[in-house]
Amino acid sequence: MLDIHLRATLRSPDRTFALDAAFRSEAPRTALLGPSGSGKSTVLMAIAGLLPGAEGHVRVGGEALLDSARGIDLPARARGVGLVFQDYALFPHMTVEENLRFGVRRLGHALAADTRERVEALAAQFGLEALRGAYPRHLSGGQRQRVALARALATRPRLLLLDEPLSALDTELRIRLRAELAEMLERVQVPTLLVTHDLQDVQALAQSVVRIEAGRIVA
């Protein structure tokens, strides 16, 4: 169960944006659908604990990650949330293996043997064995997506957040990777919230959809 009610006000020199979004979902994969500027990514940042000043509540499986009425506001590191950014945010100076090791170490593994075993398991699960020594600049869009997803799942998160996971790709590649991503999400079986503006992403990747406009849930 995902139970969200988030309030926040974001100000810039030319704009004030008010978020007041509430929704619940019991679906394994939920899509937050809306146009650019509607607040989709802001919701993800707040759930992940990366939006200072956010109020309301975030409950995953009945556990409160944020509940401002009760004084609960877990830091991002303690929320157990995996986040894949729109541009994947891989460390360009790190190899695939080093990017995966970074994710594993966030889980708190202290032993080198534990880290090595976890990295090997992730590389095998996502078909990255032959790419472990490669740098992100040498990877295709699909390969970067797999590395980012594997790194996010390295922490064994209770919730996976995907921020426009296919929008940075051209149309032909997006069609192919949409099917690949759907298969990977089905295989890993981690509750997922993805944001998108594309109905085809919703149809392929989600069982439930929440529509947001101008910071409010409308359907």
Side-chain angles (χ1 to χ4, degrees):
M1 165 68 75
L2 187 61
D3 181 4
I4 305 293
H5 187 182
L6 289 166
R7 301 182 301 274
T9 300
L10 285 71
R11 292 183 173 87
S12 66
D14 57 351
R15 185 188 183 205
T16 297
F17 179 81
L19 175 73
D20 190 349
F23 62 92
R24 298 174 62 157
S25 176
E26 295 186 4
R29 296 191 296 277
T30 301
L32 187 59
L33 175 70
S36 178
S38 60
K40 304 186 301 298
S41 294
T42 302
V43 169
L44 284 199
M45 295 301 106
I47 292 173
L50 300 175
L51 186 68
E55 297 182 340
H57 66 253
V58 174
R59 300 187 185 109
V60 181
E63 182 176 350
L65 312 184
L66 169 70
D67 190 332
S68 52
R70 295 164 56 199
I72 298 172
D73 187 1
L74 298 183
R77 186 180 182 89
R79 292 198 178 194
V81 172
L83 175 59
V84 177
F85 293 93
Q86 182 174 344
D87 61 358
Y88 308 135
L90 299 177
F91 295 112
H93 62 289
M94 293 184 181
T95 64
V96 167
E97 178 163 345
E98 289 166 340
N99 269 279
L100 295 181
R101 282 180 177 272
F102 178 86
V104 173
R105 285 170 182 158
R106 286 189 60 217
L107 186 59
H109 282 235
L111 299 177
D114 290 345
T115 299
R116 184 173 60 254
E117 289 176 5
R118 182 72 175 139
V119 168
E120 289 174 354
L122 287 165
Q125 183 178 12
F126 288 90
L128 300 169
E129 299 99 320
L131 300 171
R132 286 167 59 171
Y135 288 91
R137 63 182 177 274
H138 299 137
L139 303 178
S140 68
Q143 290 166 341
R144 288 195 297 271
Q145 182 187 77
R146 279 186 277 150
V147 175
L149 189 57
R151 188 180 65 181
L153 292 170
T155 60
R156 297 190 175 97
R158 59 167 60 94
L159 177 67
L160 180 64
L161 304 176
L162 304 180
D163 189 2
E164 296 275 9
L166 300 168
S167 66
L169 308 174
D170 60 53
T171 301
E172 184 175 344
L173 185 58
R174 188 183 306 128
I175 293 170
R176 179 167 61 83
L177 292 189
R178 187 181 288 123
E180 184 175 319
L181 180 58
E183 189 275 331
M184 285 190 289
L185 293 177
E186 182 67 26
R187 189 170 68 244
V188 299
Q189 290 294 302
V190 174
T192 301
L193 176 65
L194 67 104
V195 304
T196 184
H197 62 272
D198 192 326
L199 282 172
Q200 290 182 312
D201 289 350
V202 173
Q203 292 167 348
L205 301 172
Q207 293 100 358
S208 178
V209 59
V210 177
R211 184 165 182 85
I212 186 170
E213 294 180 4
R216 303 291 192 275
I217 302 304
V218 297

